[in-house]
Amino acid sequence: MAIKQGFSQNQTQQQKQIQRLAMTQTLQQSIQMLQYNVEELQNFLKQKEMDNPLITVEMAAEKPTSKISGDSDRHEAFMNQIASDTEQSLFDYLLDQVHLTMRDTPLRRLVLLLLDYVDDNGYLGISNEAVIEKTGADEIAVIDAVTLLQQLDPPGVGARSLQECLMLQTENDTFSPEQAYLILEESFEDLVNRQWDKIAKKYDIQLSDVQAVFDYVRTLTPNPGAGFGKQEHSYIIPDLIFSIENDEPQLLQSKASRPKVSFSQHYFEQLQNVDEEVKAYVTEKKKEYDWISKSLSQREDTILRVGKIIFEKQSEFFMNQSKELKPLLLRDVANKLHLHESTISRVVNGKYIATPFGTFELKSFFSNAVNRESDVSADAAKEKIKKIIDEEDKRKPISDSKIEKNLKESGIAISRRTVAKYREAIGIPSSSKRKRFD
């Protein structure tokens, strides 16, 4: 009896563990479903449809929205043309040029070998010494092959460093400033570090000439091969749609983000009468459908609720885009909806809202305040800093201390150190490096 009782207890414990494991897996899948964007959700449901013969998944056929604000049919055609034009890889593009412009000689075979070592950005990743060791070719032939490679389009391809890449582009440009190639070759580090007085003295030119070279170099590309074979379609399917109807704002769930999952009740009832094994199988598949249906409903409801909180907080921006976003934290929304902060993070990542003035990721509406007492967001402070710097006299750039003072006069009280941190975050150099001489 004791043995039987012990077995019964072990069996009960094992059943509980299995049930707990099933609940944990179901919970994890529900969390995943909330985290998926529309495309990922579609793929997930299509896989479920393949695994479950009792369900059918229908995705709403709705035209996707451009990530770029103000898309139009013309813009869509343009983007499609770009995608079509850039499908060719850099390797294939270079290979075509070699076949069209070079005769079948040992030198061409060396160039073809070099193509295998050109990375996606257009840089050559093998040394002359390694080519000589690999092929047995003489040094002059390898140098000639590298030179032929570097004469191909796009300009800058085949370089082994950023400096050489910029020099190749300058060499191929008849409109480059007179001293640009020489300065890049001999004084590259000085140019990068803005040691312009040193450069002007070395080449006996004006500071404005150095400025012109610097401005020109900034127009060159550091990655000449980056535009090949990587073009992605810039389209998304929004989860929410904001519109104004009869002067009334509306926030609705996008039809395209709401897949329809149907259950074959007739097929289910038929299979119930086959045998116990089949009955257990279809019963399990019915439970899966119930879970999918419930999880989809919860997902839609949670995204919409979060969207409404965002709209309430950022209503001024939605109604007038010239208004700045207000500070909003994930925990603010989590507290209002009585959800965990990680749940809100899953909701806003990869989910989009379409508006008459553009499409935005939900997480873009979140920003810290500049300090606890302020109702100004960090993003708004960064925009203000950028505006101040854009309007400065470039011959006498304004210091961080003066920016701090200007911000304080505008009602934004942050320290000079914070000004510097925000300025660096938006990619603006210090005042000494913003100075111009023209």
Side-chain angles (χ1 to χ4, degrees):
M1 177 68 72
I3 293 176
K4 285 185 178 180
Q5 187 175 4
F7 179 78
S8 177
Q9 287 174 347
N10 289 338
Q11 190 176 42
T12 302
Q13 184 177 6
Q14 187 177 14
Q15 287 177 341
K16 288 182 178 179
Q17 287 175 343
I18 292 172
Q19 289 174 347
R20 188 179 298 114
L21 178 61
M23 288 177 63
T24 302
Q25 290 174 337
T26 302
L27 179 61
Q28 287 176 343
Q29 287 187 322
S30 296
I31 291 173
Q32 282 182 339
M33 194 177 292
L34 182 62
Q35 188 168 340
Y36 289 148
N37 61 31
V38 176
E39 184 178 358
E40 291 167 340
L41 178 64
Q42 291 176 352
N43 294 336
F44 173 77
L45 292 176
K46 285 297 183 183
Q47 183 60 50
K48 287 295 181 184
E49 182 182 36
M50 293 175 64
D51 297 339
N52 190 334
L54 299 179
I55 66 174
T56 303
V57 178
E58 297 177 46
M59 308 307 300
E62 185 170 311
K63 184 179 177 180
T65 302
S66 171
K67 285 185 182 179
I68 304 172
S69 301
D71 71 309
S72 61
D73 292 337
R74 182 173 62 180
H75 172 72
E76 182 176 353
F78 176 67
M79 292 302 295
N80 288 338
Q81 182 63 43
I82 291 178
S84 175
D85 289 346
T86 58
E87 286 176 359
Q88 186 180 33
S89 69
L90 175 64
F91 177 84
D92 289 337
Y93 183 60
L94 296 173
L95 187 63
D96 287 346
Q97 293 178 70
V98 172
H99 287 317
L100 287 170
T101 61
M102 301 181 193
R103 292 182 295 108
D104 187 8
T105 63
L107 190 58
R108 187 179 83 159
R109 288 193 284 274
L110 277 178
V111 176
L112 291 174
L113 181 140
L114 293 175
L115 292 187
D116 288 329
Y117 295 92
V118 176
D119 65 23
D120 290 339
N121 290 319
Y123 286 84
L124 181 60
I126 187 171
S127 66
N128 289 2
E129 292 76 14
V131 176
I132 293 171
E133 184 178 345
K134 184 179 287 289
T135 63
D138 63 74
E139 185 178 1
I140 297 300
V142 173
I143 292 174
D144 288 343
V146 172
T147 301
L148 287 174
L149 170 63
Q150 293 177 344
Q151 289 174 351
L152 299 177
D153 190 65
V157 74
R160 291 191 172 102
S161 67
L162 173 61
Q163 180 182 8
E164 187 178 22
C165 179
L166 299 175
M167 288 169 60
L168 288 171
Q169 292 176 65
T170 303
E171 186 178 32
N172 282 277
D173 184 4
T174 56
F175 298 100
S176 62
E178 183 178 352
Q179 300 286 346
Y181 185 88
L182 189 60
I183 291 174
L184 283 170
E185 182 180 30
E186 299 180 348
S187 304
F188 180 67
E189 292 298 327
D190 289 337
L191 185 68
V192 170
N193 295 321
R194 294 178 181 251
Q195 301 293 319
W196 293 354
D197 287 322
K198 184 177 178 181
I199 295 174
K201 184 176 181 181
K202 180 177 180 178
Y203 298 101
D204 192 24
I205 56 178
Q206 300 295 317
L207 286 172
S208 58
D209 296 327
V210 184
Q211 176 78 66
V213 170
F214 183 79
D215 290 345
Y216 168 76
V217 170
R218 290 180 66 183
T219 67
L220 305 178
T221 175
N223 303 309
F228 289 82
K230 293 183 179 180
Q231 182 66 37
E232 298 179 356
H233 294 287
S234 298
Y235 295 107
I236 58 170
I237 299 174
D239 300 84
L240 301 172
I241 296 178
F242 168 75
S243 62
I244 301 176
E245 302 292 338
N246 299 322
D247 296 327
E248 288 295 324
Q250 291 186 346
L251 185 64
L252 302 172
Q253 194 93 28
S254 167
K255 291 180 180 179
S257 69
R258 299 167 65 184
K260 182 181 179 182
V261 182
S262 304
F263 182 76
S264 177
Q265 185 66 29
H266 177 70
Y267 190 32
F268 172 73
E269 291 174 354
Q270 279 187 326
L271 293 174
Q272 286 278 313
N273 302 319
V274 177
D275 58 42
E276 289 301 317
E277 187 176 352
V278 172
K279 182 178 179 180
Y281 172 79
V282 295
T283 299
E284 188 63 31
K285 293 304 179 183
K286 174 66 164 64
K287 289 180 181 178
E288 184 178 57
Y289 162 75
D290 291 337
W291 163 76
I292 290 175
S293 181
K294 181 180 178 181
S295 296
L296 277 175
S297 179
Q298 289 178 338
R299 179 183 184 277
E300 293 173 6
D301 178 66
T302 304
I303 293 174
L304 185 58
R305 289 168 66 202
V306 171
K308 287 180 177 178
I309 297 295
I310 292 174
F311 173 74
E312 289 173 7
K313 183 67 176 180
Q314 310 293 7
S315 58
E316 291 185 2
F317 171 81
F318 280 96
M319 302 305 292
N320 182 357
Q321 293 71 63
S322 63
K323 297 290 185 180
E324 297 168 340
L325 291 175
K326 293 182 178 180
L328 180 63
L329 302 176
L330 293 175
R331 68 167 176 264
D332 296 336
V333 179
N335 290 337
K336 282 194 174 186
L337 296 180
H338 305 291
L339 296 171
H340 196 275
E341 191 172 327
S342 63
T343 300
I344 306 303
S345 177
R346 292 186 180 95
V347 170
V348 301
N349 280 293
K351 315 301 189 305
Y352 291 82
I353 179 170
T355 75
F357 46 88
T359 303
F360 305 89
E361 191 172 7
L362 293 184
K363 71 177 182 180
S364 66
F365 294 98
F366 290 81
S367 176
N368 291 327
V370 294
N371 53 52
R372 292 182 180 179
E373 295 76 25
S374 176
D375 194 35
V376 177
S377 71
D379 288 341
K382 291 174 185 176
E383 281 297 317
K384 185 67 176 176
I385 290 171
K386 184 177 183 302
K387 186 173 185 295
I388 291 171
I389 292 175
D390 285 344
E391 295 174 352
E392 72 184 359
D393 182 351
K394 299 304 179 186
R395 292 170 297 182
K396 297 179 181 179
I398 188 169
S399 67
D400 290 341
S401 296
K402 289 185 178 179
I403 293 175
E404 175 193 2
K405 184 178 178 182
N406 286 356
L407 290 173
K408 189 171 292 185
E409 292 173 354
S410 302
I412 304 176
I414 58 177
S415 67
R416 184 197 59 78
R417 182 178 296 181
T418 303
V419 169
K421 182 178 73 173
Y422 286 174
R423 174 179 52 71
E424 291 170 0
I426 56 181
I428 297 178
S430 63
S431 57
S432 62
K433 292 186 177 182
R434 298 198 307 272
K435 188 173 183 179
R436 297 184 63 87
F437 299 92
D438 49 11

